[in-house]
């Protein structure tokens, strides 16, 4: 089954404790992306990756890091989480973002930073 | 001004009604346009792409007006199952190739 998986689905942590949210896709997609969703603000792009070892900032990259060492994986790293990073996070992948290709989203990760 | 703007609603309509959503975008270099549907904080799922010539999929019709920089979604004969948040999505080109921008979403509630 074609899918994007994220782990963990739910996480409660404390300020400053490094964490990683994993994202994996099995569709051989070149493009992967991370979003956060906050009430009233919609989904905002954090980072995206056009291919292995190619990453770029989205609209809200501050406080986040990513890596793309393998095509299927695109982890999101919060080196020192803060309460304003409490949000619902989605990972997504697609073949190419410019053509009319569907973005496939993971199920989301609810992060709470105390 | 937000790059992609939608009327957040909520839109409350009876079953069988026709409802229309608009979405405006500010970047004239925008390349691709989509409507996604999101149910109750679950992951967004593609509803339909929006082509320059307009396109229809059953009860759903999407249109693009590049001159005025807006896209629209028309839902005919609304069903209870259409209740969801509808997200307008725009992809950028040029030096911003790869960036996607979402509208904040329009909430639709269809009632009996």
């Amino acid at each position: 089954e074609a899918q994007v998986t994220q782990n963990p689905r739910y996480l409660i942590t404390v300020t400053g404790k490094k964490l990683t949210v994993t994202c994996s896709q099995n569709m051989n997609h070149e493009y992967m992306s991370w979003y956060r969703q906050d009430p009233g603000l919609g989904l905002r792009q954090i980072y995206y990756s056009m291919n292995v070892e190619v990453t770029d900032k989205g609209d809200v990259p501050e406080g986040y890091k990513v890596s793309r060492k393998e095509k299927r994986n695109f982890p999101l790293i919060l080196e020192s989480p803060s309460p304003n990073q409490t949000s619902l996070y989605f990972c997504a992948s697609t073949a190419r973002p410019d053509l009319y290709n569907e973005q496939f989203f993971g199920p989301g990760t609810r992060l709470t930073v105390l | 001004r937000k790059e992609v703007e939608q009327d957040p609603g909520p839109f409350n309509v009876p079953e069988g009604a026709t409802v229309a959503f608009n979405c405006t975008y500010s970047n004239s270099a925008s390349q691709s346009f989509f409507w996604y549907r999101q149910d109750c904080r679950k992951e967004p799922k593609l509803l339909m792409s929006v082509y320059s010539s307009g396109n229809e999929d059953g009860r759903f019709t999407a249109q693009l007006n590049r001159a005025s920089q807006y896209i629209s979604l028309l839902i005919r004969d609304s069903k209870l199952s259409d209740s969801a948040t509808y997200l307008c999505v725009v992809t950028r080109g040029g030096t911003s190739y790869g960036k996607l921008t979402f509208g904040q979403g329009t909430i639709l509630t269809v009632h009996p």
Side-chain angles (χ1 to χ4, degrees):
Chain A
E1 180 190 357
Q3 60 182 355
V4 178
T5 56
Q6 293 179 229
N7 282 292
R9 296 288 313 280
Y10 303 90
L11 179 60
I12 300 174
T13 189
V14 296
T15 298
K17 187 176 181 181
K18 180 178 179 179
L19 66 93
T20 299
V21 184
T22 64
C23 173
S24 183
Q25 50 94 5
N26 63 0
M27 295 167 279
N28 201 37
H29 285 161
E30 291 187 352
Y31 181 94
M32 297 185 74
S33 186
W34 275 103
Y35 303 88
R36 62 177 288 174
Q37 186 172 31
D38 303 288
L41 297 176
L43 278 91
R44 293 178 293 168
Q45 194 171 36
I46 303 171
Y47 269 96
Y48 61 97
S49 170
M50 303 297 283
N51 213 325
V52 175
E53 302 292 0
V54 181
T55 63
D56 214 338
K57 296 178 180 178
D59 292 318
V60 289
E62 295 79 21
Y64 304 94
K65 286 175 58 177
V66 292
S67 69
R68 188 92 182 273
K69 292 183 170 57
E70 306 165 279
K71 200 171 191 178
R72 64 183 294 127
N73 296 323
F74 190 44
L76 180 70
I77 303 155
L78 285 72
E79 296 268 4
S80 183
S82 61
N84 64 12
Q85 293 178 297
T86 293
S87 188
L88 176 59
Y89 291 87
F90 289 104
C91 179
S93 74
T94 187
R96 280 184 59 174
D98 57 334
L99 302 177
Y100 282 94
N101 292 309
E102 178 177 359
Q103 291 239 358
F104 293 86
F105 284 82
T109 296
R110 278 192 191 280
L111 173 64
T112 301
V113 183
L114 302 175
Chain B
R1 183 187 174 189
K2 291 182 182 177
E3 189 163 336
V4 178
E5 290 199 72
Q6 294 180 248
D7 181 346
F11 286 69
N12 294 298
V13 302
E15 275 186 288
T18 296
V19 62
F21 308 138
N22 286 330
C23 169
T24 59
Y25 61 95
S26 60
N27 190 335
S28 59
S30 299
Q31 287 196 327
S32 308
F33 308 87
F34 306 87
W35 285 102
Y36 276 73
R37 170 194 168 127
Q38 186 176 27
D39 294 302
C40 200
R41 303 288 272 179
K42 292 190 176 180
E43 71 271 25
K45 293 185 179 178
L46 179 66
L47 178 66
M48 59 196 304
S49 304
V50 187
Y51 304 120
S52 297
S53 55
N55 45 301
E56 187 173 309
D57 183 3
R59 298 181 294 108
F60 300 86
T61 300
Q63 293 197 315
L64 166 65
N65 185 319
R66 282 193 182 270
S68 301
Q69 296 184 196
Y70 77 83
I71 68 173
S72 63
L73 177 67
L74 182 76
I75 305 175
R76 292 181 299 278
D77 189 22
S78 298
K79 313 290 185 190
L80 295 176
S81 58
D82 293 334
S83 297
T85 297
Y86 291 83
L87 304 168
C88 169
V89 183
V90 175
T91 68
R92 307 182 215 172
T95 56
S96 296
Y97 175 79
K99 286 191 174 181
L100 275 75
T101 304
F102 284 72
Q104 66 184 86
T106 297
I107 299 171
L108 172 65
T109 301
V110 181
H111 56 82

